[in-house]
Amino acid sequence: MIALESIRVRFWRSMITAAGIFLGIAFLSSVLAGSAMSEIANRLSPEKLTTEVRAAAQARNMWLVVMSLIVCTVGISNSMLMSVTERFKEIGTMKCLGALDSFVRRLFLIEAAFLGIIASAIGWFVGYLGMFLLFLIRQGWAVAAGVSLRSVLMDLVTCVVVGTILTLLATVFPAQRASKLPPAAALRSEI
Amino acid sequence: MATGSEYIVRTKDVVKEYVMGNNVLRALDGITLDIRRGEYVSLMGPSGSGKSTLFNAIGGLDKPTSGSVFINEVDIAQLDAAELAYLRCRQIGYIFQTFNLIPVMTALENVTLPMVFAGVPTDEGIERGIKLLELVGLGGRLHHKPTELSGGQQQRVAVARSLANDPSIILADEPTGNLDLKTGKEIIELLKRLNRENGVTIISATHDLKMVDVSDRVVHIRDGRVERIEDRSEIDLVVGEM
């Protein structure tokens, strides 16, 4: 509840964090959708590519996705750390009022989880939409719409799970730092 | 709440040293102080005299280098983090010079926050929060954010928040420091009223002479030591001289 409110009030700052997740997941989603669609395109087209060529392209894509996700995680971590520093005083006050370390940690993790879920879902949608339009233009309706609903939903689940887990992972360290602050030190800091 | 020992706060030879590079700065140099239940005590001293440090030590926000602080005859150095949080939550109310309200929450949410930490059910908390805000004269501004309130009003919210869990001690660190004369006076009167009517012990750091006027005792602190302690009767004299 407090975490939600805090996202709402610090909307633009949260959006920067969210943008990190969003971009990474959009890329992941587009690669997933792209490979599913090119699979279909390949099945429909008369001259088939060899399995080796396809596997190599697949591997290269995956490599790019992993790299981009790592970069995103670092970005989220940085932006969460900023958000902790920004709120030193607030955290100090809360601890003065009797907040436990675990409460402070939970606050940041819940905030991150919300951002993660929402940004990944949007990222999935945008990434998928992008690929859909691309294949629609290049290969026509049969290919673009040929992906089964089940695999689309599977991609959605993958994207949201990966996005949320990465966001949480990136937030563990900043949240830990926030929760361990001694209240007097946190109150003293002027920002 | 705790049973009838006479002294609610006792400090014994409290020393606090800060290490700055190669220098050791002795902010508190053996403070021994007994504060009775229901007393209104002002700590006075120039800035840098160690008032705030003593404050943090009494409030359990900072551990003294040596010496002990007893709250209700419990040595707070013996408490673990959770017990300390419990103490801060239930026994002590804090008021700060800079108000320190949570900017993203409304007045009511700020007041009910310590109740959330204490595990008070939401409905009951809201009911009590409204009552407290009415007590400090802000019944009509329950849903305003701190930025929509004046300094005096923010400090009133902070006073209401400090009372959230019905503490036996209120620690006020220069509560009027950021307020103009008139609103400062209102806050002081509010604190005095709480002290008289609810029997809350109030310990307040200040260099505001108006504050001295309502105190039962004034503790003068200089260079980390208790310089002298004045009782109310003598204080009137001092104020007269000014």
Side-chain angles (χ1 to χ4, degrees):
Chain A
M1 174 193 67
I2 296 168
L4 261 187
E5 183 71 358
S6 158
I7 293 177
R8 201 173 64 74
V9 170
R10 279 177 260 259
F11 185 74
W12 291 112
R13 137 125 276 136
S14 308
M15 280 309 108
I16 297 174
T17 317
I21 314 158
F22 162 78
L23 290 173
I25 294 301
F27 188 46
L28 171 66
S29 163
S30 70
V31 168
L32 287 176
S35 73
M37 286 177 197
S38 51
E39 189 102 348
I40 292 161
N42 192 45
R43 209 183 304 138
L44 293 179
S45 75
E47 70 272 18
K48 297 196 191 307
L49 293 167
T50 60
T51 346
E52 281 104 78
V53 174
R54 280 184 21 232
Q58 193 85 309
R60 203 199 56 211
N61 276 343
M62 266 302 138
W63 168 243
L64 280 175
V65 166
V66 168
M67 286 314 281
S68 75
L69 286 178
I70 290 174
V71 172
C72 286
T73 310
V74 173
I76 299 161
S77 197
N78 184 34
S79 118
M80 276 316 231
L81 215 52
M82 285 277 287
S83 132
V84 166
T85 315
E86 217 174 34
R87 278 188 259 171
F88 260 12
K89 201 163 187 173
E90 218 176 295
I91 297 163
T93 309
M94 285 197 183
K95 295 191 92 176
C96 256
L97 299 175
L100 291 168
D101 289 5
S102 60
F103 177 88
V104 177
R105 203 177 316 129
R106 221 169 37 228
L107 193 67
F108 280 94
L109 289 177
I110 291 172
E111 199 178 312
F114 266 113
L115 281 180
I117 291 170
I118 291 168
S120 325
I122 298 173
W124 164 81
F125 178 74
V126 171
Y128 189 83
L129 189 71
M131 271 298 141
F132 178 79
L133 292 177
L134 194 71
F135 274 80
L136 189 63
I137 291 162
R138 286 215 317 227
Q139 319 250 3
W141 179 256
V143 171
V147 183
S148 72
L149 189 65
R150 194 169 147 271
S151 83
V152 171
L153 289 180
M154 279 302 288
D155 286 354
L156 170 62
V157 171
T158 313
C159 286
V160 170
V161 168
V162 169
T164 310
I165 287 177
L166 285 182
T167 317
L168 285 177
L169 219 59
T171 314
V172 166
F173 170 65
Q176 189 65 19
R177 205 170 97 116
S179 73
K180 289 286 174 243
L181 276 178
L187 280 177
R188 259 200 302 275
S189 69
E190 291 291 337
I191 294 163
Chain B
M1 217 161 293
T3 46
S5 80
E6 188 187 0
Y7 294 110
I8 189 148
V9 175
R10 290 199 301 128
T11 69
K12 211 172 138 216
D13 290 324
V14 170
V15 173
K16 176 75 187 178
E17 288 171 341
Y18 291 104
V19 181
M20 291 179 165
N22 292 328
N23 298 332
V24 176
L25 183 73
R26 198 164 249 236
L28 294 179
D29 191 9
I31 297 249
T32 301
L33 197 61
D34 296 328
I35 293 167
R36 282 183 215 97
R37 196 171 290 280
E39 220 176 5
Y40 191 128
V41 177
S42 288
L43 304 176
M44 280 197 90
S47 46
S49 59
K51 285 191 312 265
S52 293
T53 314
L54 178 60
F55 233 77
N56 290 339
I58 294 175
L61 302 179
D62 227 352
K63 278 205 160 52
T65 312
S66 69
S68 6
V69 175
F70 299 89
I71 305 246
N72 272 330
E73 303 300 329
V74 177
D75 185 353
I76 61 173
Q78 307 295 325
L79 301 177
D80 64 26
E83 287 167 328
L84 212 53
Y86 186 89
L87 176 89
R88 287 202 281 262
C89 188
R90 309 290 182 105
Q91 297 264 17
I92 305 178
Y94 299 86
I95 300 171
F96 306 95
Q97 179 175 5
T98 49
F99 319 137
N100 289 15
L101 300 175
I102 311 288
V104 299
M105 298 185 191
T106 64
L108 184 58
E109 285 164 348
N110 262 291
V111 174
T112 51
L113 184 64
M115 301 184 202
V116 173
F117 298 147
V120 176
T122 317
D123 293 343
E124 194 191 325
I126 289 174
E127 201 177 302
R128 249 164 67 190
I130 292 173
K131 250 184 223 146
L132 286 171
L133 281 168
E134 279 166 358
L135 178 75
V136 299
L138 285 177
R141 297 183 179 268
L142 299 177
H143 303 294
H144 286 61
K145 294 272 167 69
T147 45
E148 298 160 351
L149 298 170
S150 71
Q153 288 169 336
Q154 286 187 47
Q155 194 62 300
R156 281 162 188 270
V157 175
V159 173
R161 181 180 66 182
S162 73
L163 292 169
N165 290 321
D166 205 7
S168 36
I169 310 165
I170 289 184
L171 286 173
D173 192 357
E174 307 242 12
T176 60
N178 278 5
L179 299 175
D180 62 55
L181 283 177
K182 189 168 150 284
T183 40
K185 204 164 166 220
E186 282 167 14
I187 295 293
I188 293 171
E189 273 160 15
L190 180 60
L191 287 176
K192 185 64 196 172
R193 206 177 82 211
L194 294 169
N195 172 246
R196 219 173 28 227
E197 289 170 10
N198 302 8
V200 187
T201 309
I202 295 184
I203 305 171
S204 135
T206 186
H207 28 237
D208 189 341
L209 285 171
K210 292 189 301 309
M211 202 83 180
V212 175
D213 209 19
V214 296
S215 309
D216 297 322
R217 279 198 300 164
V218 179
V219 179
H220 290 265
I221 294 178
R222 186 173 284 270
D223 299 331
R225 291 173 166 280
V226 176
E227 198 180 36
R228 64 193 143 96
I229 300 177
E230 292 173 312
D231 275 334
R232 177 152 208 174
S233 50
E234 303 164 52
I235 295 160
D236 291 337
L237 261 176
V238 176
V239 173
E241 280 170 17
M242 295 286 164

